[in-house]
Amino acid sequence: HQIHVVDTQGRQLRTIGRPGGAKLGAYQQDAMQKPAGMTIDSRGKLWVAESDLSPKRVSVWSRDGKFERAYYG
């Protein structure tokens, strides 16, 4: 439920998203649920498509791994 960013030597630089994915309780936008596809846009932002049924979502993360926005549908 996270994206691990590594350098060319395989050393971990940072982790994006909360460990363990979504939890019971209040909705946490910065928790991914079943990341299935990702891309990086021309501004260096990470877009993650999640394969969960509810909510269907694509999340956007900054270059430094902070949650920015989610699109639902």
Side-chain angles (χ1 to χ4, degrees):
H1 299 286
Q2 294 180 303
I3 306 296
H4 296 270
V5 181
V6 298
D7 65 14
T8 57
Q9 304 300 313
R11 292 181 296 252
Q12 185 168 322
L13 300 175
R14 66 186 163 280
T15 303
I16 300 171
R18 288 181 178 263
K23 307 265 189 284
L24 291 177
Y27 183 68
Q28 298 171 325
Q29 288 189 355
D30 61 344
M32 291 182 215
Q33 190 66 14
K34 301 178 187 170
M38 62 183 162
T39 191
I40 298 175
D41 69 15
S42 61
R43 296 172 295 170
K45 295 181 186 285
L46 173 68
W47 291 66
V48 179
E50 300 173 27
S51 67
D52 200 27
L53 295 177
S54 180
K56 292 183 183 278
R57 154 179 131 138
V58 173
S59 54
V60 183
W61 304 78
S62 67
R63 292 179 140 241
D64 60 354
K66 291 187 173 49
F67 173 81
E68 288 194 352
R69 182 176 180 148
Y71 295 91
Y72 301 91

